Amino acid sequence: MKSCWEIHRLVSEGQDRKFGFGERLAVRMHLLMCSACRRFERQMKLMRQALRRFPGE
Amino acid sequence: MTDPDVQQSLQRIRPTLLRFAMLQLRNEAAAEDVVQETLLAALEGKSAFSGRSQFKTWAVSILRNKIVDYLRRTSREGILPLLDEQGDEDFDALFDGSGHWQEVPGDWGDPAVVLEQRGLYDVLELCMKALPENLARVFTMREILGFETDEICKELKMSSSNCWVVLYRARMRLRECLQLRWFDAR
Ligand SMILES: [Zn+2]
């Protein structure tokens, strides 16, 4: 199983490229079991949403 | 809208447009230029626009295109500073020897609520400005201007893996800054 270190890099990369089947599965499996990485993923999503809305209002 | 209305609205949002352009170009003269071009294009195209409510969104979308044009022009001219090979040690320190988080990432709460908080965008701007220029250029192209990653790599003549690493570093810095300046500060 991949470590949190590997997964957090992949979560970032997942915002920039399409995963292959194996990678997608590995990330989903890990996120299912790891609340720390789930939080990290939510942070990344929130940052993206906020930047898309910038300058806000 | 009548002409004076349009002009007034444009003058009102000019500072916002300028902020937006500065964030991405980091060059006052260039930012002034693209905003000026945007105001002209907005005046010329005002018939395409009816209704006041989405005025800013409309002007920002014109500005976005002007910035993209500008970046295309200047990246071809090779103005972009080369990406230095600074390591990821800072971020690796977030993990222990076996690759576990040293500290669990913070709970940033409900996005629907957080994204509506006005001050967030000021802090976001502050944190974006704190990014080193080489990271910021690539990151704003990706996240604010919405380029595809392939396009960025091609425009800036970077390898894909280099692109991903740069975007990763920018995200990690931004995350750290938002945690400190916004989520911890509240
Ligand atoms: Zn994990």
Side-chain angles (χ1 to χ4, degrees), chain A residues 5 8-9 12 15-17 39 43 48 53 57, chain B residues 56 88 92 99 105-106 142-143 149 168 171 175:
Chain A
W5 181 83
H8 98 292
R9 301 281 308 228
S12 172
Q15 298 202 315
D16 303 316
R17 68 173 173 92
R39 278 210 187 158
Q43 292 179 342
R48 167 158 287 182
R53 285 194 189 201
E57 182 236 28
Chain B
K56 195 173 106 187
D88 295 334
D92 285 353
R142 178 79 187 109
E143 299 291 352
T149 316
Y168 162 77
R171 287 192 186 106
R175 164 184 182 269

mmCIF file with all atom_site columns, all heavy atoms in Angstrom, chain A residues 5 8-9 12 15-17 39 43 48 53 57, chain B residues 56 88 92 99 105-106 142-143 149 168 171 175:
data_model
loop_
_atom_site.group_PDB
_atom_site.id
_atom_site.type_symbol
_atom_site.label_atom_id
_atom_site.label_alt_id
_atom_site.label_comp_id
_atom_site.label_asym_id
_atom_site.label_entity_id
_atom_site.label_seq_id
_atom_site.pdbx_PDB_ins_code
_atom_site.Cartn_x
_atom_site.Cartn_y
_atom_site.Cartn_z
_atom_site.occupancy
_atom_site.B_iso_or_equiv
_atom_site.pdbx_formal_charge
_atom_site.auth_seq_id
_atom_site.auth_comp_id
_atom_site.auth_asym_id
_atom_site.auth_atom_id
_atom_site.pdbx_PDB_model_num
ATOM 1   N N   . TRP A 1 5   ? 2.706   10.002 2.127   1.00 0.00 ? 5   TRP A N   1
ATOM 2   C CA  . TRP A 1 5   ? 3.586   10.880 1.339   1.00 0.00 ? 5   TRP A CA  1
ATOM 3   C C   . TRP A 1 5   ? 3.316   10.708 -0.156  1.00 0.00 ? 5   TRP A C   1
ATOM 4   O O   . TRP A 1 5   ? 3.128   11.676 -0.877  1.00 0.00 ? 5   TRP A O   1
ATOM 5   C CB  . TRP A 1 5   ? 5.061   10.593 1.654   1.00 0.00 ? 5   TRP A CB  1
ATOM 6   C CG  . TRP A 1 5   ? 5.977   11.489 0.880   1.00 0.00 ? 5   TRP A CG  1
ATOM 7   C CD1 . TRP A 1 5   ? 6.333   12.759 1.207   1.00 0.00 ? 5   TRP A CD1 1
ATOM 8   C CD2 . TRP A 1 5   ? 6.609   11.196 -0.374  1.00 0.00 ? 5   TRP A CD2 1
ATOM 9   N NE1 . TRP A 1 5   ? 7.147   13.294 0.229   1.00 0.00 ? 5   TRP A NE1 1
ATOM 10  C CE2 . TRP A 1 5   ? 7.335   12.359 -0.746  1.00 0.00 ? 5   TRP A CE2 1
ATOM 11  C CE3 . TRP A 1 5   ? 6.619   10.080 -1.216  1.00 0.00 ? 5   TRP A CE3 1
ATOM 12  C CZ2 . TRP A 1 5   ? 8.079   12.434 -1.929  1.00 0.00 ? 5   TRP A CZ2 1
ATOM 13  C CZ3 . TRP A 1 5   ? 7.369   10.149 -2.396  1.00 0.00 ? 5   TRP A CZ3 1
ATOM 14  C CH2 . TRP A 1 5   ? 8.087   11.316 -2.731  1.00 0.00 ? 5   TRP A CH2 1
ATOM 15  N N   . HIS A 1 8   ? -0.272  12.013 -1.081  1.00 0.00 ? 8   HIS A N   1
ATOM 16  C CA  . HIS A 1 8   ? -0.501  13.462 -1.146  1.00 0.00 ? 8   HIS A CA  1
ATOM 17  C C   . HIS A 1 8   ? 0.095   14.054 -2.418  1.00 0.00 ? 8   HIS A C   1
ATOM 18  O O   . HIS A 1 8   ? -0.479  14.963 -3.008  1.00 0.00 ? 8   HIS A O   1
ATOM 19  C CB  . HIS A 1 8   ? -0.028  14.161 0.142   1.00 0.00 ? 8   HIS A CB  1
ATOM 20  C CG  . HIS A 1 8   ? 1.320   14.797 0.084   1.00 0.00 ? 8   HIS A CG  1
ATOM 21  N ND1 . HIS A 1 8   ? 2.483   14.072 -0.016  1.00 0.00 ? 8   HIS A ND1 1
ATOM 22  C CD2 . HIS A 1 8   ? 1.702   16.093 0.108   1.00 0.00 ? 8   HIS A CD2 1
ATOM 23  C CE1 . HIS A 1 8   ? 3.513   14.908 -0.054  1.00 0.00 ? 8   HIS A CE1 1
ATOM 24  N NE2 . HIS A 1 8   ? 3.074   16.144 0.009   1.00 0.00 ? 8   HIS A NE2 1
ATOM 25  N N   . ARG A 1 9   ? 1.211   13.475 -2.880  1.00 0.00 ? 9   ARG A N   1
ATOM 26  C CA  . ARG A 1 9   ? 1.752   13.932 -4.167  1.00 0.00 ? 9   ARG A CA  1
ATOM 27  C C   . ARG A 1 9   ? 0.776   13.597 -5.300  1.00 0.00 ? 9   ARG A C   1
ATOM 28  O O   . ARG A 1 9   ? 0.570   14.395 -6.204  1.00 0.00 ? 9   ARG A O   1
ATOM 29  C CB  . ARG A 1 9   ? 3.106   13.245 -4.464  1.00 0.00 ? 9   ARG A CB  1
ATOM 30  C CG  . ARG A 1 9   ? 4.190   13.469 -3.427  1.00 0.00 ? 9   ARG A CG  1
ATOM 31  C CD  . ARG A 1 9   ? 4.875   14.786 -3.510  1.00 0.00 ? 9   ARG A CD  1
ATOM 32  N NE  . ARG A 1 9   ? 5.397   15.142 -4.809  1.00 0.00 ? 9   ARG A NE  1
ATOM 33  C CZ  . ARG A 1 9   ? 6.631   15.606 -5.021  1.00 0.00 ? 9   ARG A CZ  1
ATOM 34  N NH1 . ARG A 1 9   ? 7.479   15.717 -4.025  1.00 0.00 ? 9   ARG A NH1 1
ATOM 35  N NH2 . ARG A 1 9   ? 7.006   15.965 -6.213  1.00 0.00 ? 9   ARG A NH2 1
ATOM 36  N N   . SER A 1 12  ? -2.267  15.933 -5.484  1.00 0.00 ? 12  SER A N   1
ATOM 37  C CA  . SER A 1 12  ? -1.940  17.163 -6.212  1.00 0.00 ? 12  SER A CA  1
ATOM 38  C C   . SER A 1 12  ? -1.880  16.890 -7.716  1.00 0.00 ? 12  SER A C   1
ATOM 39  O O   . SER A 1 12  ? -2.505  17.595 -8.510  1.00 0.00 ? 12  SER A O   1
ATOM 40  C CB  . SER A 1 12  ? -0.617  17.750 -5.722  1.00 0.00 ? 12  SER A CB  1
ATOM 41  O OG  . SER A 1 12  ? -0.215  18.829 -6.547  1.00 0.00 ? 12  SER A OG  1
ATOM 42  N N   . GLN A 1 15  ? -4.945  16.758 -9.872  1.00 0.00 ? 15  GLN A N   1
ATOM 43  C CA  . GLN A 1 15  ? -5.582  17.991 -10.318 1.00 0.00 ? 15  GLN A CA  1
ATOM 44  C C   . GLN A 1 15  ? -5.014  18.449 -11.661 1.00 0.00 ? 15  GLN A C   1
ATOM 45  O O   . GLN A 1 15  ? -5.520  19.380 -12.264 1.00 0.00 ? 15  GLN A O   1
ATOM 46  C CB  . GLN A 1 15  ? -5.404  19.092 -9.272  1.00 0.00 ? 15  GLN A CB  1
ATOM 47  C CG  . GLN A 1 15  ? -6.071  18.741 -7.943  1.00 0.00 ? 15  GLN A CG  1
ATOM 48  C CD  . GLN A 1 15  ? -6.378  19.965 -7.096  1.00 0.00 ? 15  GLN A CD  1
ATOM 49  O OE1 . GLN A 1 15  ? -5.562  20.853 -6.944  1.00 0.00 ? 15  GLN A OE1 1
ATOM 50  N NE2 . GLN A 1 15  ? -7.578  20.009 -6.539  1.00 0.00 ? 15  GLN A NE2 1
ATOM 51  N N   . ASP A 1 16  ? -3.943  17.796 -12.100 1.00 0.00 ? 16  ASP A N   1
ATOM 52  C CA  . ASP A 1 16  ? -3.264  18.252 -13.315 1.00 0.00 ? 16  ASP A CA  1
ATOM 53  C C   . ASP A 1 16  ? -3.179  17.213 -14.424 1.00 0.00 ? 16  ASP A C   1
ATOM 54  O O   . ASP A 1 16  ? -2.792  17.525 -15.534 1.00 0.00 ? 16  ASP A O   1
ATOM 55  C CB  . ASP A 1 16  ? -1.834  18.702 -12.958 1.00 0.00 ? 16  ASP A CB  1
ATOM 56  C CG  . ASP A 1 16  ? -1.846  19.783 -11.888 1.00 0.00 ? 16  ASP A CG  1
ATOM 57  O OD1 . ASP A 1 16  ? -2.665  20.693 -12.000 1.00 0.00 ? 16  ASP A OD1 1
ATOM 58  O OD2 . ASP A 1 16  ? -1.054  19.688 -10.932 1.00 0.00 ? 16  ASP A OD2 1
ATOM 59  N N   . ARG A 1 17  ? -3.463  15.981 -14.105 1.00 0.00 ? 17  ARG A N   1
ATOM 60  C CA  . ARG A 1 17  ? -3.400  14.947 -15.153 1.00 0.00 ? 17  ARG A CA  1
ATOM 61  C C   . ARG A 1 17  ? -4.389  13.830 -14.830 1.00 0.00 ? 17  ARG A C   1
ATOM 62  O O   . ARG A 1 17  ? -4.829  13.701 -13.687 1.00 0.00 ? 17  ARG A O   1
ATOM 63  C CB  . ARG A 1 17  ? -1.995  14.372 -15.273 1.00 0.00 ? 17  ARG A CB  1
ATOM 64  C CG  . ARG A 1 17  ? -1.555  13.540 -14.076 1.00 0.00 ? 17  ARG A CG  1
ATOM 65  C CD  . ARG A 1 17  ? -0.217  12.881 -14.360 1.00 0.00 ? 17  ARG A CD  1
ATOM 66  N NE  . ARG A 1 17  ? 0.328   12.203 -13.191 1.00 0.00 ? 17  ARG A NE  1
ATOM 67  C CZ  . ARG A 1 17  ? 0.111   10.909 -12.920 1.00 0.00 ? 17  ARG A CZ  1
ATOM 68  N NH1 . ARG A 1 17  ? -0.634  10.171 -13.696 1.00 0.00 ? 17  ARG A NH1 1
ATOM 69  N NH2 . ARG A 1 17  ? 0.661   10.358 -11.833 1.00 0.00 ? 17  ARG A NH2 1
ATOM 70  N N   . ARG A 1 39  ? -8.479  14.766 4.467   1.00 0.00 ? 39  ARG A N   1
ATOM 71  C CA  . ARG A 1 39  ? -8.465  16.202 4.785   1.00 0.00 ? 39  ARG A CA  1
ATOM 72  C C   . ARG A 1 39  ? -7.611  16.970 3.800   1.00 0.00 ? 39  ARG A C   1
ATOM 73  O O   . ARG A 1 39  ? -7.981  18.051 3.342   1.00 0.00 ? 39  ARG A O   1
ATOM 74  C CB  . ARG A 1 39  ? -7.922  16.418 6.189   1.00 0.00 ? 39  ARG A CB  1
ATOM 75  C CG  . ARG A 1 39  ? -8.949  16.209 7.244   1.00 0.00 ? 39  ARG A CG  1
ATOM 76  C CD  . ARG A 1 39  ? -8.626  17.098 8.429   1.00 0.00 ? 39  ARG A CD  1
ATOM 77  N NE  . ARG A 1 39  ? -9.513  16.812 9.531   1.00 0.00 ? 39  ARG A NE  1
ATOM 78  C CZ  . ARG A 1 39  ? -9.237  17.102 10.789  1.00 0.00 ? 39  ARG A CZ  1
ATOM 79  N NH1 . ARG A 1 39  ? -8.069  17.653 11.095  1.00 0.00 ? 39  ARG A NH1 1
ATOM 80  N NH2 . ARG A 1 39  ? -10.106 16.843 11.743  1.00 0.00 ? 39  ARG A NH2 1
ATOM 81  N N   . GLN A 1 43  ? -8.687  19.982 1.329   1.00 0.00 ? 43  GLN A N   1
ATOM 82  C CA  . GLN A 1 43  ? -7.997  21.282 1.271   1.00 0.00 ? 43  GLN A CA  1
ATOM 83  C C   . GLN A 1 43  ? -7.644  21.651 -0.175  1.00 0.00 ? 43  GLN A C   1
ATOM 84  O O   . GLN A 1 43  ? -7.840  22.794 -0.597  1.00 0.00 ? 43  GLN A O   1
ATOM 85  C CB  . GLN A 1 43  ? -6.708  21.233 2.103   1.00 0.00 ? 43  GLN A CB  1
ATOM 86  C CG  . GLN A 1 43  ? -6.943  21.106 3.603   1.00 0.00 ? 43  GLN A CG  1
ATOM 87  C CD  . GLN A 1 43  ? -5.642  21.030 4.396   1.00 0.00 ? 43  GLN A CD  1
ATOM 88  O OE1 . GLN A 1 43  ? -4.572  20.751 3.836   1.00 0.00 ? 43  GLN A OE1 1
ATOM 89  N NE2 . GLN A 1 43  ? -5.717  21.259 5.700   1.00 0.00 ? 43  GLN A NE2 1
ATOM 90  N N   . ARG A 1 48  ? -8.693  25.030 -4.959  1.00 0.00 ? 48  ARG A N   1
ATOM 91  C CA  . ARG A 1 48  ? -9.016  25.169 -6.384  1.00 0.00 ? 48  ARG A CA  1
ATOM 92  C C   . ARG A 1 48  ? -10.301 25.975 -6.568  1.00 0.00 ? 48  ARG A C   1
ATOM 93  O O   . ARG A 1 48  ? -10.357 26.892 -7.389  1.00 0.00 ? 48  ARG A O   1
ATOM 94  C CB  . ARG A 1 48  ? -9.143  23.795 -7.032  1.00 0.00 ? 48  ARG A CB  1
ATOM 95  C CG  . ARG A 1 48  ? -9.777  23.865 -8.417  1.00 0.00 ? 48  ARG A CG  1
ATOM 96  C CD  . ARG A 1 48  ? -9.466  22.704 -9.283  1.00 0.00 ? 48  ARG A CD  1
ATOM 97  N NE  . ARG A 1 48  ? -8.090  22.755 -9.759  1.00 0.00 ? 48  ARG A NE  1
ATOM 98  C CZ  . ARG A 1 48  ? -7.549  21.851 -10.582 1.00 0.00 ? 48  ARG A CZ  1
ATOM 99  N NH1 . ARG A 1 48  ? -8.259  20.849 -11.002 1.00 0.00 ? 48  ARG A NH1 1
ATOM 100 N NH2 . ARG A 1 48  ? -6.305  21.966 -10.964 1.00 0.00 ? 48  ARG A NH2 1
ATOM 101 N N   . ARG A 1 53  ? -12.853 31.220 -8.150  1.00 0.00 ? 53  ARG A N   1
ATOM 102 C CA  . ARG A 1 53  ? -13.773 32.319 -7.849  1.00 0.00 ? 53  ARG A CA  1
ATOM 103 C C   . ARG A 1 53  ? -13.072 33.657 -7.730  1.00 0.00 ? 53  ARG A C   1
ATOM 104 O O   . ARG A 1 53  ? -13.716 34.690 -7.710  1.00 0.00 ? 53  ARG A O   1
ATOM 105 C CB  . ARG A 1 53  ? -14.476 32.078 -6.523  1.00 0.00 ? 53  ARG A CB  1
ATOM 106 C CG  . ARG A 1 53  ? -15.538 31.039 -6.598  1.00 0.00 ? 53  ARG A CG  1
ATOM 107 C CD  . ARG A 1 53  ? -16.333 31.168 -5.340  1.00 0.00 ? 53  ARG A CD  1
ATOM 108 N NE  . ARG A 1 53  ? -17.261 30.076 -5.213  1.00 0.00 ? 53  ARG A NE  1
ATOM 109 C CZ  . ARG A 1 53  ? -18.333 30.150 -4.435  1.00 0.00 ? 53  ARG A CZ  1
ATOM 110 N NH1 . ARG A 1 53  ? -18.561 31.234 -3.732  1.00 0.00 ? 53  ARG A NH1 1
ATOM 111 N NH2 . ARG A 1 53  ? -19.144 29.130 -4.350  1.00 0.00 ? 53  ARG A NH2 1
ATOM 112 N N   . GLU A 1 57  ? -16.467 37.567 -4.305  1.00 0.00 ? 57  GLU A N   1
ATOM 113 C CA  . GLU A 1 57  ? -17.716 38.349 -4.230  1.00 0.00 ? 57  GLU A CA  1
ATOM 114 C C   . GLU A 1 57  ? -18.798 37.889 -5.207  1.00 0.00 ? 57  GLU A C   1
ATOM 115 O O   . GLU A 1 57  ? -18.521 37.210 -6.164  1.00 0.00 ? 57  GLU A O   1
ATOM 116 C CB  . GLU A 1 57  ? -17.410 39.818 -4.447  1.00 0.00 ? 57  GLU A CB  1
ATOM 117 C CG  . GLU A 1 57  ? -18.581 40.744 -4.359  1.00 0.00 ? 57  GLU A CG  1
ATOM 118 C CD  . GLU A 1 57  ? -18.725 41.572 -5.617  1.00 0.00 ? 57  GLU A CD  1
ATOM 119 O OE1 . GLU A 1 57  ? -18.317 41.104 -6.670  1.00 0.00 ? 57  GLU A OE1 1
ATOM 120 O OE2 . GLU A 1 57  ? -19.231 42.667 -5.543  1.00 0.00 ? 57  GLU A OE2 1
ATOM 121 N N   . LYS B 2 56  ? -19.186 42.587 -13.632 1.00 0.00 ? 56  LYS B N   1
ATOM 122 C CA  . LYS B 2 56  ? -17.811 42.327 -13.223 1.00 0.00 ? 56  LYS B CA  1
ATOM 123 C C   . LYS B 2 56  ? -17.310 40.995 -13.796 1.00 0.00 ? 56  LYS B C   1
ATOM 124 O O   . LYS B 2 56  ? -16.194 40.910 -14.294 1.00 0.00 ? 56  LYS B O   1
ATOM 125 C CB  . LYS B 2 56  ? -17.702 42.323 -11.700 1.00 0.00 ? 56  LYS B CB  1
ATOM 126 C CG  . LYS B 2 56  ? -16.268 42.413 -11.234 1.00 0.00 ? 56  LYS B CG  1
ATOM 127 C CD  . LYS B 2 56  ? -16.168 42.587 -9.753  1.00 0.00 ? 56  LYS B CD  1
ATOM 128 C CE  . LYS B 2 56  ? -15.712 41.279 -9.144  1.00 0.00 ? 56  LYS B CE  1
ATOM 129 N NZ  . LYS B 2 56  ? -15.749 41.301 -7.689  1.00 0.00 ? 56  LYS B NZ  1
ATOM 130 N N   . ASP B 2 88  ? 12.278  19.640 -2.308  1.00 0.00 ? 88  ASP B N   1
ATOM 131 C CA  . ASP B 2 88  ? 10.997  19.540 -1.626  1.00 0.00 ? 88  ASP B CA  1
ATOM 132 C C   . ASP B 2 88  ? 11.190  19.294 -0.135  1.00 0.00 ? 88  ASP B C   1
ATOM 133 O O   . ASP B 2 88  ? 10.268  18.906 0.549   1.00 0.00 ? 88  ASP B O   1
ATOM 134 C CB  . ASP B 2 88  ? 10.181  18.367 -2.191  1.00 0.00 ? 88  ASP B CB  1
ATOM 135 C CG  . ASP B 2 88  ? 9.800   18.609 -3.640  1.00 0.00 ? 88  ASP B CG  1
ATOM 136 O OD1 . ASP B 2 88  ? 9.720   19.780 -4.033  1.00 0.00 ? 88  ASP B OD1 1
ATOM 137 O OD2 . ASP B 2 88  ? 9.595   17.629 -4.355  1.00 0.00 ? 88  ASP B OD2 1
ATOM 138 N N   . ASP B 2 92  ? 8.770   17.550 2.672   1.00 0.00 ? 92  ASP B N   1
ATOM 139 C CA  . ASP B 2 92  ? 9.037   16.194 3.153   1.00 0.00 ? 92  ASP B CA  1
ATOM 140 C C   . ASP B 2 92  ? 9.062   16.154 4.680   1.00 0.00 ? 92  ASP B C   1
ATOM 141 O O   . ASP B 2 92  ? 8.759   15.135 5.284   1.00 0.00 ? 92  ASP B O   1
ATOM 142 C CB  . ASP B 2 92  ? 10.370  15.672 2.594   1.00 0.00 ? 92  ASP B CB  1
ATOM 143 C CG  . ASP B 2 92  ? 10.233  15.298 1.121   1.00 0.00 ? 92  ASP B CG  1
ATOM 144 O OD1 . ASP B 2 92  ? 9.090   15.319 0.620   1.00 0.00 ? 92  ASP B OD1 1
ATOM 145 O OD2 . ASP B 2 92  ? 11.252  14.999 0.489   1.00 0.00 ? 92  ASP B OD2 1
ATOM 146 N N   . GLY B 2 99  ? 6.654   7.764  6.026   1.00 0.00 ? 99  GLY B N   1
ATOM 147 C CA  . GLY B 2 99  ? 5.725   8.397  5.082   1.00 0.00 ? 99  GLY B CA  1
ATOM 148 C C   . GLY B 2 99  ? 4.360   8.736  5.646   1.00 0.00 ? 99  GLY B C   1
ATOM 149 O O   . GLY B 2 99  ? 3.420   8.996  4.891   1.00 0.00 ? 99  GLY B O   1
ATOM 150 N N   . PRO B 2 105 ? -3.487  17.043 8.571   1.00 0.00 ? 105 PRO B N   1
ATOM 151 C CA  . PRO B 2 105 ? -3.903  18.317 7.969   1.00 0.00 ? 105 PRO B CA  1
ATOM 152 C C   . PRO B 2 105 ? -5.160  18.873 8.638   1.00 0.00 ? 105 PRO B C   1
ATOM 153 O O   . PRO B 2 105 ? -6.004  18.113 9.108   1.00 0.00 ? 105 PRO B O   1
ATOM 154 C CB  . PRO B 2 105 ? -4.195  17.929 6.516   1.00 0.00 ? 105 PRO B CB  1
ATOM 155 C CG  . PRO B 2 105 ? -3.380  16.701 6.265   1.00 0.00 ? 105 PRO B CG  1
ATOM 156 C CD  . PRO B 2 105 ? -3.346  15.976 7.582   1.00 0.00 ? 105 PRO B CD  1
ATOM 157 N N   . GLY B 2 106 ? -5.255  20.182 8.700   1.00 0.00 ? 106 GLY B N   1
ATOM 158 C CA  . GLY B 2 106 ? -6.358  20.827 9.395   1.00 0.00 ? 106 GLY B CA  1
ATOM 159 C C   . GLY B 2 106 ? -7.705  20.612 8.720   1.00 0.00 ? 106 GLY B C   1
ATOM 160 O O   . GLY B 2 106 ? -7.766  20.359 7.523   1.00 0.00 ? 106 GLY B O   1
ATOM 161 N N   . ARG B 2 142 ? -2.578  27.833 -14.384 1.00 0.00 ? 142 ARG B N   1
ATOM 162 C CA  . ARG B 2 142 ? -3.367  26.625 -14.172 1.00 0.00 ? 142 ARG B CA  1
ATOM 163 C C   . ARG B 2 142 ? -4.674  26.925 -13.437 1.00 0.00 ? 142 ARG B C   1
ATOM 164 O O   . ARG B 2 142 ? -5.740  26.551 -13.890 1.00 0.00 ? 142 ARG B O   1
ATOM 165 C CB  . ARG B 2 142 ? -2.551  25.605 -13.353 1.00 0.00 ? 142 ARG B CB  1
ATOM 166 C CG  . ARG B 2 142 ? -3.290  24.326 -13.026 1.00 0.00 ? 142 ARG B CG  1
ATOM 167 C CD  . ARG B 2 142 ? -3.316  23.391 -14.202 1.00 0.00 ? 142 ARG B CD  1
ATOM 168 N NE  . ARG B 2 142 ? -4.145  22.228 -13.970 1.00 0.00 ? 142 ARG B NE  1
ATOM 169 C CZ  . ARG B 2 142 ? -5.313  22.012 -14.571 1.00 0.00 ? 142 ARG B CZ  1
ATOM 170 N NH1 . ARG B 2 142 ? -5.782  22.870 -15.455 1.00 0.00 ? 142 ARG B NH1 1
ATOM 171 N NH2 . ARG B 2 142 ? -6.011  20.929 -14.311 1.00 0.00 ? 142 ARG B NH2 1
ATOM 172 N N   . GLU B 2 143 ? -4.579  27.615 -12.306 1.00 0.00 ? 143 GLU B N   1
ATOM 173 C CA  . GLU B 2 143 ? -5.728  27.683 -11.401 1.00 0.00 ? 143 GLU B CA  1
ATOM 174 C C   . GLU B 2 143 ? -6.614  28.911 -11.606 1.00 0.00 ? 143 GLU B C   1
ATOM 175 O O   . GLU B 2 143 ? -7.796  28.864 -11.314 1.00 0.00 ? 143 GLU B O   1
ATOM 176 C CB  . GLU B 2 143 ? -5.262  27.647 -9.941  1.00 0.00 ? 143 GLU B CB  1
ATOM 177 C CG  . GLU B 2 143 ? -4.504  26.383 -9.562  1.00 0.00 ? 143 GLU B CG  1
ATOM 178 C CD  . GLU B 2 143 ? -5.371  25.128 -9.537  1.00 0.00 ? 143 GLU B CD  1
ATOM 179 O OE1 . GLU B 2 143 ? -6.604  25.237 -9.669  1.00 0.00 ? 143 GLU B OE1 1
ATOM 180 O OE2 . GLU B 2 143 ? -4.803  24.031 -9.397  1.00 0.00 ? 143 GLU B OE2 1
ATOM 181 N N   . THR B 2 149 ? -2.869  21.564 -18.234 1.00 0.00 ? 149 THR B N   1
ATOM 182 C CA  . THR B 2 149 ? -1.458  21.408 -17.866 1.00 0.00 ? 149 THR B CA  1
ATOM 183 C C   . THR B 2 149 ? -0.566  21.241 -19.113 1.00 0.00 ? 149 THR B C   1
ATOM 184 O O   . THR B 2 149 ? 0.511   21.823 -19.188 1.00 0.00 ? 149 THR B O   1
ATOM 185 C CB  . THR B 2 149 ? -1.284  20.210 -16.924 1.00 0.00 ? 149 THR B CB  1
ATOM 186 O OG1 . THR B 2 149 ? -2.322  20.245 -15.954 1.00 0.00 ? 149 THR B OG1 1
ATOM 187 C CG2 . THR B 2 149 ? 0.044   20.263 -16.219 1.00 0.00 ? 149 THR B CG2 1
ATOM 188 N N   . TYR B 2 168 ? 2.676   21.361 -7.645  1.00 0.00 ? 168 TYR B N   1
ATOM 189 C CA  . TYR B 2 168 ? 2.646   20.770 -6.309  1.00 0.00 ? 168 TYR B CA  1
ATOM 190 C C   . TYR B 2 168 ? 3.257   21.721 -5.272  1.00 0.00 ? 168 TYR B C   1
ATOM 191 O O   . TYR B 2 168 ? 2.679   21.975 -4.225  1.00 0.00 ? 168 TYR B O   1
ATOM 192 C CB  . TYR B 2 168 ? 3.394   19.428 -6.329  1.00 0.00 ? 168 TYR B CB  1
ATOM 193 C CG  . TYR B 2 168 ? 3.803   18.930 -4.974  1.00 0.00 ? 168 TYR B CG  1
ATOM 194 C CD1 . TYR B 2 168 ? 2.864   18.344 -4.122  1.00 0.00 ? 168 TYR B CD1 1
ATOM 195 C CD2 . TYR B 2 168 ? 5.114   19.071 -4.516  1.00 0.00 ? 168 TYR B CD2 1
ATOM 196 C CE1 . TYR B 2 168 ? 3.237   17.912 -2.859  1.00 0.00 ? 168 TYR B CE1 1
ATOM 197 C CE2 . TYR B 2 168 ? 5.493   18.637 -3.269  1.00 0.00 ? 168 TYR B CE2 1
ATOM 198 C CZ  . TYR B 2 168 ? 4.552   18.059 -2.434  1.00 0.00 ? 168 TYR B CZ  1
ATOM 199 O OH  . TYR B 2 168 ? 4.911   17.643 -1.187  1.00 0.00 ? 168 TYR B OH  1
ATOM 200 N N   . ARG B 2 171 ? 1.017   24.636 -4.542  1.00 0.00 ? 171 ARG B N   1
ATOM 201 C CA  . ARG B 2 171 ? -0.131  24.249 -3.710  1.00 0.00 ? 171 ARG B CA  1
ATOM 202 C C   . ARG B 2 171 ? 0.281   24.083 -2.248  1.00 0.00 ? 171 ARG B C   1
ATOM 203 O O   . ARG B 2 171 ? -0.443  24.490 -1.342  1.00 0.00 ? 171 ARG B O   1
ATOM 204 C CB  . ARG B 2 171 ? -0.744  22.938 -4.218  1.00 0.00 ? 171 ARG B CB  1
ATOM 205 C CG  . ARG B 2 171 ? -1.505  23.103 -5.492  1.00 0.00 ? 171 ARG B CG  1
ATOM 206 C CD  . ARG B 2 171 ? -2.356  21.897 -5.856  1.00 0.00 ? 171 ARG B CD  1
ATOM 207 N NE  . ARG B 2 171 ? -2.917  22.140 -7.171  1.00 0.00 ? 171 ARG B NE  1
ATOM 208 C CZ  . ARG B 2 171 ? -2.516  21.532 -8.291  1.00 0.00 ? 171 ARG B CZ  1
ATOM 209 N NH1 . ARG B 2 171 ? -1.622  20.572 -8.242  1.00 0.00 ? 171 ARG B NH1 1
ATOM 210 N NH2 . ARG B 2 171 ? -3.048  21.872 -9.445  1.00 0.00 ? 171 ARG B NH2 1
ATOM 211 N N   . ARG B 2 175 ? -1.222  26.303 0.682   1.00 0.00 ? 175 ARG B N   1
ATOM 212 C CA  . ARG B 2 175 ? -1.921  25.603 1.749   1.00 0.00 ? 175 ARG B CA  1
ATOM 213 C C   . ARG B 2 175 ? -1.390  26.026 3.117   1.00 0.00 ? 175 ARG B C   1
ATOM 214 O O   . ARG B 2 175 ? -2.156  26.320 4.039   1.00 0.00 ? 175 ARG B O   1
ATOM 215 C CB  . ARG B 2 175 ? -1.711  24.100 1.532   1.00 0.00 ? 175 ARG B CB  1
ATOM 216 C CG  . ARG B 2 175 ? -2.013  23.227 2.703   1.00 0.00 ? 175 ARG B CG  1
ATOM 217 C CD  . ARG B 2 175 ? -1.669  21.788 2.366   1.00 0.00 ? 175 ARG B CD  1
ATOM 218 N NE  . ARG B 2 175 ? -2.000  20.926 3.482   1.00 0.00 ? 175 ARG B NE  1
ATOM 219 C CZ  . ARG B 2 175 ? -1.157  20.619 4.463   1.00 0.00 ? 175 ARG B CZ  1
ATOM 220 N NH1 . ARG B 2 175 ? 0.068   21.097 4.467   1.00 0.00 ? 175 ARG B NH1 1
ATOM 221 N NH2 . ARG B 2 175 ? -1.532  19.830 5.448   1.00 0.00 ? 175 ARG B NH2 1
#
